Amino acid sequence: MMKKTITGFSKFSKREKIDWIISTFFEDAEVAKKTISQYWNDDKTLQDLHDDFIENTISNFYLPYGVAPNFVINNREYVIPMVVEESSVVAAASLVAKFWSTRGGFKATVISTTKIGQVHFMFDGEFADLKAHFNDSKSRLITATDSITKNMRKRGGGILDIELRDKSSELENYYQLHVTFETMDSMGANFINSCLEAIAKEFNKENSASSVQVQIVMSILSNYVPDCIVRAEVSCPVNRLYKENAELFAQKFKQAVDIANVEPHRAVTHNKGIMNGIDAVVVATGNDFRAIESGAHAYAAQSGAYKSLSQCEIKDGIFTFWIEIPLALGTVGGLTAIHPLAKLSLEMLQKPSASELMEIVAVAGLAQNFAALRALTTTGIQHGHMKMHLSNIIKQLDTSEEEKTYLLNYFEKKEVSHSAVVAAYEKMKERG
Ligand code: HMG
C-alpha cells in the first residue's frame, strides 16, 4: 500500500506538491490535475499573491462575490459586497434592503471598540505579594511596549489598561494580566499579540528582581470582545410592515425572536441566519470570519444560555427589530490591504472606518435575520430558497441551454423541490 504520510513536503515546489498529492490520492490523475490547474490565475503576479496568503497552496477555491444594493444606513446609501456560497442569501439581503429603504432605512451605532488580550501565567504564592509586585511593575510593563505602540498612539489608540486578575479559584495557581486596547481602524491582532509578548517578557524579567516568581504560560489576544459592540436597528409603524394583516405578521415575527431567546436549538439556527449576512461581508472585506464567529457565539451565550443575537419589540404600534453584536473588524492592515477584492469591497463601501464597517456588517446580519424570519413566519423558507436554488439543481442534471430555459420557465410559478425538478426534467426528456 502506498504511504500517505510524508516528510519535507513544505520544501517541495508547487509542482512537486501537486504530483505527490495526485499520485497518492487520485485514481484519475488527469482529471485531478485539470481540476487543480483550471482554477489557477493566468496572471502570474496575482497567482503568486494568492499562493503566498497561506502555505502549501496548490490551487484557488472560488466563492461567488455578489452585491446587495439599496441599503440605507444612517441615511447613507450603500451597495454591500457579499462573498457566500449559499443561494438566496444575497437575494434576501437585497429584498430586505429595498424594503427598509422606504421605511427610514437602518440605524446603526458603535457602542464601544475595546479589544482584549491576556498574558496567562501561574503563580504559587500569596496573592497580596503578587499584587504588590504587579503594582510595582505596571508602568514598566506599559513602557516595554513603547516602540510597538508608538504609531498606534499617534493615531489615538494603544494600551488602555493592564489589570491583574486572580483566576486561582477556577484553576489552581492561575492568574492573568488582562490588557485592554484601542486599535482604531485595524483589527489589531498582530499589534495586540506583539504588545502582550513584550509585556510578558518584561513581567518575566521583573521576576529576577523580586521574590515573586511567576511562570508565563502564554500571551494571546481574545476573540471574545464584549466591549467591542455595535447596534443596528430597523423600526416602523406595525401597519407599514406587511401588505395584509400586518399586526399578525408583527406578532408572529416577534414570537419567532422570543422563541430563539428561550430555545437554544432554535437560537443556533436563528443566529446562523444572522451569520449568513455577517460572514459574507466579513469575507468580502478581507476580515477574519472565524474570529467574528467565535466572538459572536460566545456573546450569544454570555448569560450562561445560548440566545438570539437579535431582539424585537412592539410598543405603541411601533415595530422595532435590532441586533447587538461584538465585531472586531479592520479596514487597514492584514488582508484588507493586499487582497485586491478586499480593497475593491472597501472602496465599494465608500472607504469606511473600522467603526463604520462594524455598522455595515451588523446591518447585513440584521437584514439577513429579517429576511429569514419574514419567510419562516409567512411562506416558509423553502419557497424563496428553492426558487434561488433552482439553477443549482438544474446544473446537476447536465441540461442543454434550451432545456435549462424550459425548466426555469416551467418553475416560474411552481413550487421548487429537487424531486419536482428531476420529475419535470424526465418528463421533458420523454417528450423529446
Ligand atoms: P421574492 O419576493 O420572491 O423576490 O423573494 P422577487 O422576485 O419578488 O424580487 C424582489 C426583490 O428581491 C428584488 O428586487 C431583489 O432585491 C431581491 P429587484 O431587484 O427586482 O428590484 N431578489 C433578488 N436579488 C438578486 N437575485 C435574485 C433575486 N430575487 C429576488 N435572483 C427571496 C425571494 C429569496 C428574496 C425571499 O423569498 C427571501 O428573502 N427568502 C428568505 C431567504 C433566506 O433567508 N435565505 C437565507 C438562507 S436560509 C438559511 O440558511 C437560514 C435560516 O435557517 C435561518 C433561520 O432559520 O432563521 C433560514
Side-chain angles (χ1 to χ4, degrees):
M1 209 165 82
M2 185 178 267
K3 211 165 159 257
K4 291 187 169 63
T5 54
I6 186 165
T7 302
F9 184 77
S10 66
K11 314 286 183 303
F12 283 7
S13 67
K14 185 170 171 181
R15 166 63 52 207
E16 287 167 333
K17 285 173 186 165
I18 293 169
D19 286 347
W20 185 82
I21 295 277
I22 287 178
S23 61
T24 313
F25 294 99
F26 293 90
E27 277 173 19
D28 191 333
E30 282 317 304
V31 170
K33 221 175 239 181
K34 184 170 172 234
T35 307
I36 289 169
S37 61
Q38 74 188 356
Y39 286 97
W40 288 340
N41 200 296
D42 291 340
D43 179 339
K44 188 175 172 325
T45 313
L46 194 61
Q47 187 54 57
D48 286 348
L49 179 75
H50 283 263
D51 284 356
D52 289 344
F53 284 154
I54 62 164
E55 308 74 39
N56 293 342
T57 309
I58 59 169
S59 191
N60 305 306
F61 191 103
Y62 292 174
L63 285 177
Y65 182 113
V67 290
N70 297 321
F71 272 95
V72 176
I73 306 172
N74 296 338
N75 301 319
R76 193 168 175 190
E77 287 145 355
Y78 291 91
V79 171
I80 298 191
M82 303 179 86
V83 172
V84 63
E85 86 299 345
E86 187 175 359
S87 51
S88 86
V89 168
V90 176
S94 309
L95 176 93
V96 169
K98 196 168 148 189
F99 178 88
W100 282 105
S101 69
T102 57
R103 290 162 178 80
F106 292 82
K107 301 278 172 275
T109 330
V110 169
I111 294 169
S112 49
T113 55
T114 302
K115 317 261 172 58
I116 293 164
Q118 295 166 324
V119 177
H120 304 270
F121 66 94
M122 295 295 172
F123 168 67
D124 181 11
E126 291 300 321
F127 181 63
D129 293 342
L130 179 64
K131 195 159 171 42
H133 173 61
F134 168 73
N135 288 340
D136 180 49
S137 42
K138 185 170 172 179
S139 63
R140 288 190 294 278
L141 299 182
I142 292 181
T143 311
T145 65
D146 273 356
S147 62
I148 307 166
T149 58
K150 191 170 160 224
N151 289 338
M152 190 62 88
R153 279 185 280 125
K154 270 192 209 147
R155 286 182 220 115
I159 295 176
L160 301 177
D161 196 13
I162 308 183
E163 229 182 279
L164 172 68
R165 290 195 172 176
D166 181 355
K167 307 289 283 181
S168 60
S169 62
E170 289 149 70
L171 180 68
E172 199 181 358
N173 297 339
Y174 170 39
Y175 299 85
Q176 294 168 353
L177 297 179
H178 184 93
V179 191
T180 42
F181 298 86
E182 170 54 66
T183 61
M184 307 307 286
D185 282 336
S186 69
M187 190 265 193
N190 285 332
F191 169 75
I192 292 173
N193 288 336
S194 299
C195 287
L196 292 172
E197 287 183 7
I199 289 169
K201 199 165 156 201
E202 180 63 29
F203 201 45
N204 217 9
K205 205 160 80 190
E206 302 264 333
N207 266 348
S208 50
S210 154
S211 58
V212 169
Q213 296 294 306
V214 304
Q215 187 202 21
I216 307 286
V217 179
M218 59 187 164
S219 310
I220 188 75
L221 94 163
S222 172
N223 290 126
Y224 182 43
V225 280
D227 290 318
C228 185
I229 299 287
V230 55
R231 178 188 161 104
E233 177 187 302
V234 282
S235 184
C236 78
V238 167
N239 61 17
R240 289 210 59 210
L241 262 185
Y242 208 67
K243 46 190 180 312
E244 64 221 27
N245 213 343
E247 244 162 64
L248 177 65
F249 169 79
Q251 202 185 80
K252 281 180 71 179
F253 190 101
K254 177 172 161 28
Q255 282 161 352
V257 178
D258 292 346
I259 289 168
N261 263 318
V262 297
E263 167 51 53
H265 285 91
R266 174 56 205 152
V268 171
T269 319
H270 178 99
N271 289 345
K272 183 273 180 192
I274 292 173
M275 300 318 285
N276 275 343
I278 293 206
D279 284 347
V281 192
V282 169
V283 175
T285 55
N287 276 278
D288 179 346
F289 66 92
R290 286 89 51 214
I292 295 300
E293 280 278 344
S294 52
H297 297 300
Y299 191 70
Q302 64 177 330
S303 66
Y306 188 90
K307 288 173 183 263
S308 167
L309 285 162
S310 61
Q311 305 299 332
C312 181
E313 183 185 75
I314 302 167
K315 204 171 160 197
D316 303 329
I318 303 292
F319 169 92
T320 308
F321 180 49
W322 73 96
I323 186 171
E324 268 184 31
I325 186 165
L327 293 173
L329 296 170
T331 52
V332 297
L335 223 56
T336 60
I338 47 176
H339 196 303
L341 282 171
K343 271 196 204 168
L344 183 103
S345 297
L346 289 169
E347 192 167 345
M348 197 185 299
L349 290 171
Q350 302 164 62
K351 302 192 175 148
S353 63
S355 290
E356 284 162 344
L357 184 61
M358 285 168 76
E359 294 172 350
I360 293 164
V361 171
V363 162
L366 188 71
Q368 214 63 50
N369 194 210
F370 185 83
L373 296 184
R374 181 176 181 267
L376 285 166
T377 55
T378 56
T379 56
I381 199 74
Q382 285 308 84
H383 173 75
H385 190 63
M386 293 313 279
K387 188 172 149 188
M388 299 298 122
H389 194 49
L390 176 60
S391 57
N392 287 339
I393 302 174
I394 295 174
K395 236 170 244 143
Q396 290 166 23
L397 299 172
D398 210 11
T399 55
S400 65
E401 267 313 300
E402 204 182 320
E403 289 168 338
K404 182 180 166 189
T405 309
Y406 169 82
L407 287 170
L408 286 173
N409 289 337
Y410 179 84
F411 279 100
E412 189 99 311
K413 296 229 151 36
K414 289 197 172 56
E415 200 62 31
V416 179
S417 71
H418 194 273
S419 54
V421 179
V422 173
Y425 169 76
E426 282 168 357
K427 230 184 201 163
M428 175 184 75
K429 285 290 195 194
E430 266 169 38
R431 279 201 307 270

